[in-house]
Amino acid sequence: GELRRIRADGFCVSEGEIIAGAVAIAAPVFERTGRVAGSICVFGPAARLSGAHRTACLGSLRATAAQVSAALGYAASARVAAE
C-alpha cells in the first residue's frame, strides 16, 4: 500500500490534497525497532516548492529525518513490516 511505498521511497509528497496550490513534503522518522515514530514535513505554496528547490528541500528533509532516526537508535537493518 501507500505506507510501504513511502517507507521504500523515504518520503511522501502531497500536492493540493487538502489546500489548493499547497505542497507538503514529508519524510518518516523511525525509532530503534524500525517503527515510525513521527515525520518531518516542509509545507508551502507550490510556486515555491517546485523544480530544483523541491529537490533540494527533499534531500535536506530526508537527511534530517535520517539524523533524527539515528538519534532515536534506528539502524536501517532494524526494518519492520510496514504498518
Side-chain angles (χ1 to χ4, degrees):
E2 185 175 5
L3 290 179
R4 285 188 182 162
R5 182 189 54 75
I6 293 167
R7 183 179 287 269
D9 293 347
F11 68 94
C12 180
V13 177
S14 170
E15 297 185 65
E17 290 180 32
I18 296 175
I19 300 172
V23 173
I25 306 168
V29 171
F30 300 99
E31 51 104 50
R32 68 175 183 78
T33 66
R35 295 193 189 283
V36 175
S39 65
I40 298 176
C41 180
V42 174
F43 175 84
R48 289 190 185 162
L49 286 174
S50 62
H53 188 79
R54 180 184 294 197
T55 301
C57 285
L58 178 57
S60 295
L61 192 66
R62 290 179 74 189
T64 301
Q67 289 174 346
V68 174
S69 295
L72 293 176
Y74 175 72
S77 62
R79 292 193 175 243
V80 296
E83 298 155 353

Coordinates of all heavy atoms in Angstrom, one line a residue:
G1 N 0.8 -1.2 0.0 CA 0.0 0.0 0.0 C 0.8 1.3 0.0 O 2.1 1.2 -0.2
E2 N 0.2 2.3 0.3 CA 0.9 3.6 0.3 C 2.0 3.7 1.3 O 3.0 4.3 1.1 CB -0.2 4.8 0.5 CG 0.5 6.1 0.3 CD -0.5 7.3 0.4 OE1 -1.7 7.0 0.6 OE2 -0.1 8.4 0.2
L3 N 1.7 3.2 2.5 CA 2.8 3.3 3.6 C 4.0 2.5 3.2 O 5.1 2.9 3.5 CB 2.2 2.8 4.9 CG 1.2 3.7 5.5 CD1 0.7 3.1 6.8 CD2 1.7 5.1 5.8
R4 N 3.8 1.4 2.5 CA 5.0 0.6 2.1 C 5.8 1.4 1.0 O 7.0 1.4 1.0 CB 4.6 -0.7 1.5 CG 4.2 -1.7 2.6 CD 4.0 -3.1 2.1 NE 3.6 -3.8 3.3 CZ 3.0 -5.0 3.2 NH1 2.7 -5.5 2.1 NH2 2.7 -5.6 4.3
R5 N 5.1 2.1 0.1 CA 5.8 2.9 -0.9 C 6.5 4.1 -0.2 O 7.7 4.3 -0.5 CB 4.8 3.5 -1.9 CG 5.4 4.3 -3.0 CD 4.4 5.0 -3.9 NE 3.5 5.8 -3.1 CZ 3.8 7.0 -2.6 NH1 5.0 7.5 -2.7 NH2 2.9 7.7 -2.0
I6 N 5.9 4.7 0.8 CA 6.5 5.8 1.5 C 7.8 5.3 2.2 O 8.8 5.9 2.2 CB 5.6 6.5 2.4 CG1 4.5 7.2 1.7 CG2 6.3 7.5 3.3 CD1 3.3 7.6 2.5
R7 N 7.7 4.2 2.9 CA 8.8 3.6 3.6 C 9.9 3.3 2.6 O 11.1 3.6 2.8 CB 8.4 2.3 4.3 CG 9.6 1.7 5.1 CD 9.1 0.5 5.9 NE 8.3 0.8 7.0 CZ 8.8 1.0 8.2 NH1 10.0 0.9 8.5 NH2 7.9 1.2 9.2
A8 N 9.6 2.7 1.4 CA 10.6 2.4 0.4 C 11.2 3.6 -0.2 O 12.5 3.7 -0.4 CB 10.0 1.5 -0.7
D9 N 10.4 4.6 -0.5 CA 10.9 5.9 -1.1 C 11.6 6.8 -0.1 O 12.5 7.5 -0.5 CB 9.8 6.7 -1.8 CG 9.1 6.0 -3.0 OD1 9.7 5.0 -3.5 OD2 8.0 6.4 -3.4
G10 N 11.2 6.7 1.1 CA 11.8 7.6 2.1 C 11.1 8.9 2.2 O 11.6 9.8 2.9
F11 N 10.0 9.2 1.5 CA 9.3 10.4 1.5 C 7.9 10.3 0.9 O 7.6 9.3 0.3 CB 10.1 11.5 0.8 CG 10.2 11.3 -0.7 CD1 9.2 11.9 -1.5 CD2 11.1 10.5 -1.3 CE1 9.3 11.7 -2.9 CE2 11.2 10.2 -2.6 CZ 10.2 10.9 -3.5
C12 N 7.2 11.4 1.1 CA 5.8 11.5 0.5 C 5.6 12.9 0.1 O 6.0 13.8 0.8 CB 4.8 11.0 1.5 SG 3.1 11.1 0.9
V13 N 5.0 13.1 -1.0 CA 4.6 14.5 -1.5 C 3.1 14.6 -1.6 O 2.5 13.7 -2.2 CB 5.3 14.8 -2.8 CG1 4.9 16.2 -3.3 CG2 6.8 14.7 -2.7
S14 N 2.6 15.6 -1.1 CA 1.1 15.9 -1.2 C 1.0 17.2 -1.9 O 1.5 18.2 -1.5 CB 0.5 16.0 0.2 OG -0.8 16.5 0.1
E15 N 0.3 17.2 -3.1 CA 0.1 18.4 -3.9 C -1.4 18.7 -4.0 O -2.1 18.0 -4.6 CB 0.7 18.2 -5.3 CG 2.2 17.9 -5.3 CD 2.8 17.9 -6.6 OE1 2.7 18.9 -7.3 OE2 3.2 16.8 -7.0
G16 N -1.8 19.8 -3.3 CA -3.1 20.2 -3.3 C -4.2 19.3 -2.8 O -5.4 19.4 -3.1
E17 N -3.8 18.3 -2.0 CA -4.8 17.3 -1.5 C -5.7 17.9 -0.5 O -6.9 17.6 -0.4 CB -4.0 16.1 -0.9 CG -3.4 15.3 -1.9 CD -2.7 14.1 -1.4 OE1 -3.1 13.5 -0.3 OE2 -1.6 13.7 -1.9
I18 N -5.2 18.9 0.4 CA -6.0 19.5 1.4 C -6.3 20.9 1.1 O -7.4 21.4 1.2 CB -5.4 19.3 2.8 CG1 -5.4 17.8 3.1 CG2 -6.2 20.0 3.8 CD1 -4.7 17.4 4.4
I19 N -5.2 21.6 0.6 CA -5.3 23.1 0.3 C -4.8 23.2 -1.1 O -3.7 22.9 -1.5 CB -4.4 23.9 1.3 CG1 -4.8 23.7 2.7 CG2 -4.4 25.4 0.9 CD1 -3.9 24.4 3.7
A20 N -5.7 23.8 -1.9 CA -5.3 24.0 -3.3 C -4.1 24.9 -3.4 O -4.0 25.9 -2.7 CB -6.5 24.7 -4.1
G21 N -3.2 24.5 -4.3 CA -1.9 25.3 -4.5 C -0.9 25.1 -3.5 O 0.1 25.8 -3.5
A22 N -1.1 24.2 -2.5 CA -0.1 24.0 -1.5 C 0.6 22.6 -1.7 O 0.0 21.7 -2.3 CB -0.8 24.0 -0.1
V23 N 1.8 22.5 -1.3 CA 2.6 21.3 -1.4 C 3.2 21.0 0.0 O 3.6 21.9 0.7 CB 3.8 21.5 -2.4 CG1 4.7 20.2 -2.3 CG2 3.2 21.7 -3.8
A24 N 3.1 19.7 0.4 CA 3.8 19.2 1.6 C 4.7 18.1 1.2 O 4.3 17.2 0.4 CB 2.7 18.8 2.6
I25 N 5.9 18.1 1.7 CA 6.9 17.0 1.5 C 7.2 16.5 2.9 O 7.6 17.3 3.8 CB 8.1 17.6 0.8 CG1 7.7 18.3 -0.5 CG2 9.1 16.4 0.5 CD1 8.9 19.0 -1.1
A26 N 7.1 15.2 3.1 CA 7.3 14.7 4.4 C 8.2 13.5 4.3 O 8.2 12.7 3.3 CB 6.0 14.3 5.1
A27 N 9.0 13.2 5.4 CA 9.9 12.1 5.5 C 9.7 11.4 6.9 O 9.6 12.1 7.9 CB 11.4 12.5 5.3
P28 N 9.5 10.1 6.9 CA 9.3 9.4 8.2 C 10.5 9.4 9.1 O 11.7 9.4 8.6 CB 8.9 8.0 7.8 CG 9.5 7.8 6.4 CD 9.6 9.2 5.8
V29 N 10.3 9.4 10.4 CA 11.3 9.3 11.4 C 11.1 7.9 12.1 O 9.9 7.7 12.5 CB 11.3 10.4 12.4 CG1 12.2 10.2 13.6 CG2 11.6 11.7 11.7
F30 N 12.1 7.1 12.2 CA 11.9 5.8 12.8 C 12.6 5.7 14.1 O 13.6 6.3 14.4 CB 12.6 4.7 11.9 CG 12.0 4.7 10.5 CD1 12.6 5.3 9.4 CD2 10.8 4.0 10.2 CE1 12.1 5.3 8.1 CE2 10.3 4.0 9.0 CZ 10.9 4.7 7.9
E31 N 12.0 4.9 15.0 CA 12.6 4.6 16.3 C 13.4 3.4 16.2 O 13.5 2.8 15.1 CB 11.5 4.5 17.4 CG 10.4 3.6 17.1 CD 10.5 2.3 17.8 OE1 10.7 2.3 19.0 OE2 10.4 1.3 17.2
R32 N 14.1 3.0 17.2 CA 15.1 2.0 17.2 C 14.7 0.6 16.6 O 15.5 -0.1 15.9 CB 15.8 1.7 18.5 CG 15.0 1.1 19.5 CD 15.8 0.8 20.8 NE 14.9 0.2 21.8 CZ 14.6 -1.1 21.7 NH1 15.0 -1.9 20.8 NH2 13.7 -1.6 22.6
T33 N 13.4 0.2 16.7 CA 12.9 -1.0 16.2 C 12.5 -1.0 14.8 O 12.2 -2.0 14.2 CB 11.8 -1.6 17.0 OG1 10.6 -0.7 16.9 CG2 12.1 -1.7 18.5
G34 N 12.5 0.2 14.2 CA 12.1 0.4 12.8 C 10.7 0.9 12.6 O 10.2 1.1 11.5
R35 N 10.0 1.0 13.7 CA 8.6 1.5 13.6 C 8.7 3.1 13.5 O 9.6 3.7 13.9 CB 7.8 1.2 14.9 CG 7.6 -0.3 15.1 CD 6.6 -0.6 16.1 NE 6.5 -2.0 16.5 CZ 6.0 -2.9 15.7 NH1 5.4 -2.6 14.6 NH2 6.0 -4.2 16.1
V36 N 7.6 3.6 12.8 CA 7.6 5.0 12.5 C 7.3 5.7 13.9 O 6.3 5.4 14.6 CB 6.5 5.4 11.5 CG1 6.3 6.9 11.4 CG2 6.8 4.7 10.2
A37 N 8.1 6.7 14.2 CA 8.0 7.5 15.4 C 7.3 8.8 15.1 O 6.7 9.4 16.0 CB 9.3 7.7 16.1
G38 N 7.4 9.3 13.9 CA 6.8 10.5 13.5 C 7.3 10.9 12.1 O 7.7 10.0 11.4
S39 N 7.2 12.2 11.8 CA 7.7 12.6 10.5 C 8.2 14.1 10.6 O 7.9 14.8 11.5 CB 6.6 12.5 9.4 OG 5.5 13.4 9.7
I40 N 8.9 14.4 9.6 CA 9.4 15.8 9.4 C 8.8 16.3 8.1 O 8.8 15.6 7.1 CB 10.9 15.9 9.4 CG1 11.5 15.4 10.7 CG2 11.3 17.4 9.1 CD1 13.0 15.4 10.7
C41 N 8.2 17.5 8.1 CA 7.5 18.0 6.9 C 7.9 19.4 6.6 O 8.1 20.2 7.5 CB 6.0 17.9 7.2 SG 4.9 18.5 5.9
V42 N 7.9 19.7 5.3 CA 8.0 21.1 4.8 C 6.7 21.4 4.0 O 6.3 20.5 3.2 CB 9.2 21.2 3.8 CG1 9.3 22.5 3.2 CG2 10.5 20.9 4.5
F43 N 6.2 22.5 4.3 CA 4.9 22.9 3.7 C 5.0 24.3 3.1 O 5.6 25.2 3.7 CB 3.8 22.8 4.8 CG 2.4 23.3 4.3 CD1 1.6 22.4 3.6 CD2 2.0 24.6 4.5 CE1 0.3 22.9 3.2 CE2 0.8 25.0 4.1 CZ -0.1 24.2 3.5
G44 N 4.4 24.5 1.9 CA 4.4 25.8 1.3 C 3.7 25.9 0.0 O 3.1 24.9 -0.4
P45 N 3.6 27.0 -0.6 CA 2.9 27.2 -1.9 C 3.7 26.4 -3.0 O 4.9 26.4 -3.0 CB 3.0 28.7 -2.1 CG 3.9 29.3 -1.1 CD 4.2 28.3 -0.1
A46 N 2.9 25.9 -3.9 CA 3.5 25.1 -5.0 C 4.5 25.9 -5.8 O 5.5 25.4 -6.2 CB 2.4 24.6 -5.9
A47 N 4.3 27.2 -5.9 CA 5.2 28.0 -6.7 C 6.6 28.1 -6.0 O 7.6 28.2 -6.7 CB 4.7 29.4 -6.8
R48 N 6.7 27.9 -4.7 CA 8.0 27.9 -4.0 C 8.6 26.5 -3.9 O 9.8 26.4 -3.7 CB 7.9 28.5 -2.6 CG 7.6 30.0 -2.7 CD 7.7 30.6 -1.3 NE 7.4 32.0 -1.3 CZ 7.1 32.7 -0.2 NH1 7.1 32.1 0.9 NH2 6.8 33.9 -0.3
L49 N 7.8 25.5 -3.9 CA 8.3 24.1 -3.7 C 8.1 23.4 -5.0 O 7.4 22.4 -5.1 CB 7.5 23.4 -2.6 CG 7.8 23.9 -1.2 CD1 6.9 23.2 -0.2 CD2 9.3 23.5 -0.9
S50 N 8.9 23.8 -6.0 CA 8.9 23.1 -7.3 C 10.3 23.1 -7.9 O 11.2 23.8 -7.4 CB 7.9 23.9 -8.3 OG 8.4 25.2 -8.6
G51 N 10.5 22.2 -8.9 CA 11.7 22.1 -9.6 C 12.9 21.8 -8.7 O 12.9 21.0 -7.8
A52 N 14.0 22.6 -8.9 CA 15.3 22.4 -8.2 C 15.1 22.7 -6.7 O 15.7 22.0 -5.9 CB 16.4 23.3 -8.8
H53 N 14.3 23.6 -6.3 CA 14.1 23.9 -4.9 C 13.4 22.8 -4.2 O 13.8 22.4 -3.1 CB 13.2 25.2 -4.8 CG 13.2 25.7 -3.3 ND1 14.2 26.4 -2.7 CD2 12.2 25.5 -2.4 CE1 13.8 26.6 -1.5 NE2 12.7 26.1 -1.3
R54 N 12.4 22.1 -4.9 CA 11.8 21.0 -4.3 C 12.8 19.8 -4.1 O 12.8 19.2 -3.0 CB 10.6 20.5 -5.1 CG 9.9 19.2 -4.5 CD 8.9 18.7 -5.4 NE 7.7 19.6 -5.5 CZ 6.5 19.2 -5.9 NH1 6.3 18.0 -6.2 NH2 5.6 20.1 -6.0
T55 N 13.6 19.6 -5.1 CA 14.6 18.6 -5.0 C 15.6 18.8 -3.8 O 15.9 17.9 -3.1 CB 15.4 18.5 -6.3 OG1 14.5 18.2 -7.4 CG2 16.5 17.4 -6.3
A56 N 16.0 20.1 -3.7 CA 16.9 20.5 -2.6 C 16.2 20.3 -1.2 O 16.9 19.7 -0.3 CB 17.4 21.9 -2.8
C57 N 15.0 20.7 -1.1 CA 14.3 20.5 0.1 C 14.1 19.0 0.5 O 14.3 18.6 1.6 CB 12.9 21.2 0.0 SG 12.9 23.0 0.2
L58 N 13.8 18.2 -0.5 CA 13.6 16.8 -0.3 C 14.9 16.2 0.2 O 14.9 15.4 1.1 CB 13.2 16.1 -1.6 CG 13.0 14.6 -1.6 CD1 12.0 14.2 -0.5 CD2 12.5 14.1 -2.9
G59 N 16.0 16.5 -0.4 CA 17.3 16.0 0.0 C 17.6 16.4 1.5 O 18.0 15.5 2.3
S60 N 17.4 17.6 1.8 CA 17.6 18.1 3.2 C 16.6 17.4 4.2 O 17.0 17.0 5.3 CB 17.5 19.6 3.3 OG 18.4 20.2 2.5
L61 N 15.4 17.3 3.8 CA 14.4 16.7 4.6 C 14.7 15.2 4.9 O 14.7 14.7 6.0 CB 13.0 16.8 3.9 CG 11.8 16.4 4.7 CD1 11.6 17.4 5.8 CD2 10.6 16.4 3.8
R62 N 15.1 14.5 3.9 CA 15.4 13.0 4.1 C 16.7 12.9 4.9 O 16.8 12.0 5.8 CB 15.7 12.4 2.7 CG 14.3 12.2 1.9 CD 14.5 11.6 0.6 NE 14.8 10.1 0.8 CZ 15.2 9.3 -0.1 NH1 15.3 9.8 -1.4 NH2 15.4 8.1 0.1
A63 N 17.7 13.8 4.7 CA 18.9 13.7 5.5 C 18.6 14.0 7.0 O 19.1 13.3 7.9 CB 19.9 14.7 5.0
T64 N 17.8 15.0 7.2 CA 17.4 15.4 8.6 C 16.6 14.2 9.3 O 16.8 13.9 10.4 CB 16.6 16.7 8.6 OG1 17.4 17.7 8.1 CG2 16.2 17.1 10.1
A65 N 15.6 13.7 8.5 CA 14.9 12.5 9.1 C 15.8 11.4 9.4 O 15.6 10.7 10.5 CB 13.8 12.1 8.1
A66 N 16.8 11.1 8.6 CA 17.8 10.0 8.9 C 18.6 10.4 10.2 O 18.8 9.5 11.0 CB 18.7 9.8 7.7
Q67 N 19.0 11.6 10.3 CA 19.7 12.0 11.5 C 18.9 11.9 12.8 O 19.4 11.4 13.8 CB 20.2 13.4 11.4 CG 21.3 13.6 10.4 CD 21.7 15.1 10.1 OE1 20.9 16.0 10.6 NE2 22.8 15.3 9.5
V68 N 17.6 12.3 12.7 CA 16.7 12.2 13.9 C 16.5 10.7 14.2 O 16.5 10.2 15.3 CB 15.4 12.9 13.7 CG1 14.4 12.6 14.8 CG2 15.7 14.4 13.5
S69 N 16.3 9.9 13.1 CA 16.1 8.4 13.3 C 17.3 7.8 14.0 O 17.1 7.0 14.9 CB 15.8 7.8 12.0 OG 14.6 8.2 11.4
A70 N 18.5 8.2 13.5 CA 19.7 7.6 14.1 C 19.8 8.0 15.6 O 20.2 7.2 16.5 CB 20.9 8.1 13.4
A71 N 19.4 9.3 15.9 CA 19.5 9.7 17.3 C 18.5 9.0 18.2 O 18.7 8.8 19.4 CB 19.1 11.2 17.4
L72 N 17.4 8.4 17.6 CA 16.5 7.6 18.3 C 16.9 6.1 18.4 O 16.2 5.3 18.9 CB 15.1 7.7 17.7 CG 14.4 9.1 17.7 CD1 13.1 9.1 17.0 CD2 14.2 9.5 19.2
G73 N 18.0 5.8 17.8 CA 18.6 4.5 17.8 C 18.2 3.6 16.6 O 18.5 2.4 16.6
Y74 N 17.7 4.2 15.6 CA 17.3 3.5 14.4 C 18.5 3.1 13.5 O 19.4 4.0 13.3 CB 16.3 4.2 13.5 CG 16.0 3.6 12.2 CD1 15.2 2.4 12.2 CD2 16.4 4.1 11.0 CE1 14.9 1.8 11.0 CE2 16.1 3.5 9.8 CZ 15.4 2.3 9.8 OH 15.0 1.7 8.6
A75 N 18.6 1.9 13.1 CA 19.6 1.5 12.1 C 18.8 0.8 10.9 O 17.8 0.2 11.2 CB 20.6 0.5 12.7
A76 N 19.2 1.1 9.7 CA 18.5 0.6 8.5 C 18.2 -0.9 8.6 O 17.2 -1.4 8.1 CB 19.2 0.9 7.3
S77 N 19.1 -1.7 9.3 CA 18.9 -3.1 9.4 C 17.7 -3.5 10.4 O 17.3 -4.6 10.5 CB 20.1 -3.8 9.9 OG 20.5 -3.3 11.2
A78 N 17.1 -2.5 11.1 CA 16.1 -2.7 12.0 C 14.7 -2.7 11.4 O 13.7 -2.6 12.1 CB 16.2 -1.7 13.2
R79 N 14.6 -2.7 10.1 CA 13.3 -2.5 9.5 C 12.3 -3.6 9.9 O 12.6 -4.7 10.1 CB 13.4 -2.6 8.0 CG 14.1 -1.4 7.4 CD 14.0 -1.3 5.9 NE 14.6 -0.1 5.5 CZ 14.0 0.9 4.9 NH1 12.7 0.8 4.7 NH2 14.6 2.0 4.5
V80 N 11.0 -3.1 10.0 CA 9.9 -4.0 10.4 C 8.9 -3.9 9.2 O 9.0 -3.0 8.4 CB 9.2 -3.6 11.7 CG1 10.2 -3.8 12.9 CG2 8.7 -2.2 11.7
A81 N 7.9 -4.8 9.2 CA 6.9 -4.7 8.2 C 6.2 -3.4 8.3 O 6.0 -2.9 9.3 CB 5.9 -5.9 8.4
A82 N 5.8 -2.9 7.1 CA 5.0 -1.6 7.1 C 3.8 -1.7 7.9 O 3.1 -2.8 7.9 CB 4.7 -1.3 5.6
E83 N 3.4 -0.7 8.6 CA 2.3 -0.6 9.5 C 1.0 -0.4 8.7 O 1.0 0.2 7.7 CB 2.5 0.4 10.5 CG 3.7 0.0 11.4 CD 4.3 1.2 12.1 OE1 4.0 2.3 11.8 OE2 5.2 0.9 12.9

